[in-house]
Amino acid sequence: AQKITQTQPGMFVQEKEAVTLDCTYDTSDQSYGLFWYKQPSSGEMIFLIYQGSYDEQNATEGRYSLNFQKARKSANLVISASQLGDSAMYFCAMREVGGFKTIFGAGTRLFVKA
Amino acid sequence: DGGITQSPKYLFRKEGQNVTLSCEQNLNHDAMYWYRQDPGQGLRLIYYSQIVNDFQKGDIAEGYSVSREKKESFPLTVTSAQKNPTAFYLCASKSWQTSYNEQFFGPGTRLTVL
């Protein structure tokens, strides 16, 4: 069965510094996608970044990058130059390519300090 | 603007009552989803629908029902059989046409049982 593990319930980072949010996954599928979503206090889920299992390069989207280590089954999110507005819950998720069901981790709450 | 709307934002229910949560999308997406989120936890799948007039149970479907009579609409009914319905409910939709097949989420409905 597929599983997503986020071991950091909460993280603190100083404004303008970089932070890494951990995500490990377990799947027997060969072709899958990994997603990161941000959930501000308003509750809406915002898509941040995607990494395909066959992508050779790590995904990047602005200040977000994904440190993908396939052999270790990890897909850590790196946020560079943290901003106060980055304070939120962050969820790692996975779905088989072509599939309909997405599995979510328990999330990491990030606090950015001024 | 294209997006997903959920109503109401807050909903209060007495024990023993059925309530229906609305979800509408104008993104022309085929697939729609309902998730439940409890405090400090990730998202759990209640029901999903791949096309009109078809839907499948997710991981926690007991006590919930859905319909998909129109492509744009996917209402969720929380029945009196749901023993602990107080939670945050998120609706999402997905298209095969987007780059990453990511899910787009509505703003959520917070349900409280009195």
Side-chain angles (χ1 to χ4, degrees):
Chain A
Q2 294 182 328
K3 185 178 180 181
I4 295 282
T5 302
Q6 294 181 254
T7 57
Q8 306 154 313
M11 289 279 289
F12 287 87
V13 64
Q14 197 68 37
E15 191 179 12
K16 299 180 184 177
E17 292 184 351
V19 63
T20 298
L21 306 184
D22 294 340
C23 172
T24 58
Y25 61 91
D26 191 17
T27 182
S28 57
D29 297 324
Q30 296 301 310
S31 185
Y32 52 87
L34 294 155
F35 303 81
W36 277 92
Y37 287 87
K38 173 184 179 181
Q39 186 180 43
S41 57
S42 60
E44 188 167 353
M45 299 280 282
I46 302 166
F47 167 70
L48 295 177
I49 195 167
Y50 170 86
Q51 178 82 44
S53 60
Y54 288 111
D55 293 340
E56 295 185 353
Q57 292 199 333
N58 287 341
T60 60
E61 289 286 350
R63 294 187 298 111
Y64 304 108
S65 60
L66 202 151
N67 184 359
F68 181 48
Q69 298 188 43
K70 192 171 181 178
R72 293 186 175 185
K73 292 189 175 179
S74 75
N76 299 339
L77 176 70
V78 180
I79 305 175
S80 63
S82 296
Q83 302 172 356
L84 295 178
D86 294 335
S87 293
M89 281 287 286
Y90 289 82
F91 291 95
C92 180
M94 175 175 63
R95 184 174 68 242
E96 178 189 9
V97 172
F100 281 91
K101 294 178 68 174
T102 302
I103 307 299
F104 288 83
T108 295
R109 184 169 294 279
L110 178 66
F111 300 92
V112 180
K113 300 182 291 183
Chain B
D1 283 331
I4 301 176
T5 57
Q6 291 185 243
S7 62
K9 187 176 178 69
Y10 298 96
L11 185 57
F12 298 90
R13 187 194 100 171
K14 293 182 180 179
E15 285 192 27
Q17 286 183 334
N18 293 355
V19 290
T20 297
L21 282 58
S22 169
C23 177
E24 303 277 335
Q25 56 100 357
N26 60 4
L27 300 168
N28 200 34
H29 287 175
D30 289 305
M32 295 187 73
Y33 304 78
W34 274 106
Y35 292 94
R36 170 180 171 142
Q37 185 179 23
D38 292 286
Q41 298 188 28
L43 278 63
R44 292 186 290 168
L45 182 64
I46 305 172
Y47 269 98
Y48 65 102
S49 168
Q50 300 175 33
I51 56 172
V52 175
N53 293 322
D54 183 63
F55 49 83
Q56 285 79 40
K57 292 182 179 180
D59 301 317
I60 55 166
E62 185 175 351
Y64 300 97
S65 66
V66 294
S67 63
R68 185 85 187 276
E69 298 176 0
K70 298 186 300 182
K71 188 175 185 178
E72 310 81 49
S73 179
F74 191 41
L76 173 75
T77 296
V78 184
T79 74
S80 56
Q82 170 49 236
K83 299 304 179 188
N84 185 21
T86 294
F88 187 56
Y89 292 86
L90 283 161
C91 178
S93 69
K94 183 174 74 70
S95 167
W96 298 113
Q97 307 302 320
T98 57
S99 301
Y100 308 124
N101 304 144
E102 70 273 24
Q103 291 178 310
F104 292 77
F105 285 83
T109 292
R110 192 166 300 278
L111 173 62
T112 303
V113 174
L114 303 173

